[in-house]
Amino acid sequence: MSQQEPTPRENPPEEDEMAGESEERLDERTTLAAQVELLQEENQRLRQAFAHARRTEYQRAAIGLAILGAIAVAGAVVFPTVRTVLLALGATGLFAAVMSYYLTPERFVSAAIGEYVYATSVADRESLTAELGLQDTQVYAPTAAAGEESARLFVPEKREYSLPPASELDSLFVITDDAQQRGVALEPIGAALFREGRRAVSGELAAEPSTLCDQLGDATVEVFELADGVTTDVDSDDGRASLGVSGSAYGDVDRVDHPIASVFATGLAVTLETPVTVETTDETDRAEFLVTCRWEPNAETE
């Protein structure tokens, strides 16, 4: 009697279906990984191309200045009557060419990267104020740090508050015997920008609020490129400066210690030597955001 051979076991349809799905998911993951790698390579290539384009732009400007300088120097030889002027122009052009060529920036940080960094910083500050139950009030108080005029951002604990002495503002947590003076004191984002703005502005910063705000507005747009436009409306008698901000490079201006509001408030506080409060509203007829800085109107005349 012959023994019957066992028939091969067939996989259930469910197992075949699961195996097929697993293979499909594996293929998808492999495809996605390849696409991510390609995107990373393309991103790196675009970054290098952008940096190269910027360097090329500066180098072309340097070559153009060098050519103009050389022409001016050659003209000084041909036209002796205007030799002094042409030599001055030639020397200026050649010097500017050398500076443009060798001081070409090698690293460019996009506004999006700066926005991410600022968003992280402001999230920490908002969490700190929320955890401590602090008010939304922002007071920029003038101080003297390491012998240099500066300011600190004081956020009070009480709605009805009084500003603590400048010596108490050196600490992060301001804890005094007077409960109305308690809160936190932070380094304003605009402090470093204001110091840089001082060096960028031709001449001295004005002591008069209206002119000072115009100078800070120009620095905000032209030097720091924090916004596409800033308009100012200053009433010194009322102790108020209203700033219309359009095209902010760092998102909504109504966030805590926004760079634009911070640089104006810090500049006013340091220059007028008086505390400055800041309020920001959005969706105005005048601009995308309206920043209002207030101070005691008699402070600038004392």
Side-chain angles (χ1 to χ4, degrees), residues 142-144 152 164-174 176 185:
T143 60
R152 295 282 284 180
S167 59
E168 298 289 344
L169 295 176
D170 292 336
S171 302
L172 173 61
F173 298 102
V174 181
T176 64

Side-chain angles (χ1 to χ4, degrees), residues 58-242:
Y58 277 84
Q59 290 168 358
R60 286 177 178 173
I63 293 173
L65 289 171
I67 293 174
L68 290 176
I71 292 175
V73 172
V77 177
V78 179
F79 305 102
T81 55
V82 289
R83 178 174 299 169
T84 302
V85 176
L86 291 176
L87 284 175
L89 290 175
T92 302
L94 292 174
F95 177 76
V98 172
M99 296 295 288
S100 299
Y101 187 86
Y102 287 102
L103 297 184
T104 300
E106 296 292 332
R107 178 174 295 179
F108 305 95
V109 179
S110 67
I113 300 300
E115 162 65 12
Y116 299 152
V117 174
Y118 167 68
T120 302
S121 173
V122 76
D124 291 339
R125 296 192 173 199
E126 289 175 346
S127 298
L128 175 65
T129 56
E131 287 290 335
L132 297 177
L134 304 179
Q135 303 298 317
D136 294 332
T137 305
Q138 302 179 59
V139 185
Y140 292 80
T143 60
E148 185 177 11
E149 292 180 334
S150 185
R152 295 282 284 180
L153 171 58
F154 177 66
V155 183
E157 179 182 358
K158 304 293 184 182
R159 184 178 300 275
E160 297 296 330
Y161 69 93
S162 59
L163 192 67
S167 59
E168 298 289 344
L169 295 176
D170 292 336
S171 302
L172 173 61
F173 298 102
V174 181
I175 303 175
T176 64
D177 295 335
D178 187 349
Q180 291 184 327
Q181 294 182 349
R182 296 175 183 173
V184 296
L186 307 169
E187 175 74 11
I189 292 176
L193 293 174
F194 175 66
R195 288 192 292 270
E196 182 64 26
R198 275 180 159 174
R199 292 189 286 266
V201 172
S202 58
E204 295 291 331
L205 283 176
E208 197 274 323
S210 180
T211 306
L212 173 64
C213 286
D214 289 339
Q215 291 175 322
L216 293 176
D218 291 340
T220 299
V221 176
E222 303 297 336
V223 179
F224 304 131
E225 299 183 359
L226 298 177
D228 293 337
V230 176
T231 60
T232 60
D233 178 20
V234 180
D235 187 345
S236 299
D237 296 333
D238 188 39
R240 175 191 56 79
S242 298

Side-chain angles (χ1 to χ4, degrees), residues 28-42:
E28 290 178 357
R29 284 196 295 267
T30 303
T31 303
L32 289 175
Q35 290 177 348
V36 169
E37 185 176 354
L38 288 174
L39 289 174
Q40 289 175 341
E41 293 176 355
E42 179 66 11

Side-chain angles (χ1 to χ4, degrees), residues 229 231 243-246 281-290:
T231 60
L243 318 166
V245 181
S246 300
T281 56
D282 58 356
E283 298 181 355
T284 66
D285 295 334
R286 176 177 165 184
E288 294 175 3
F289 291 92
L290 184 65

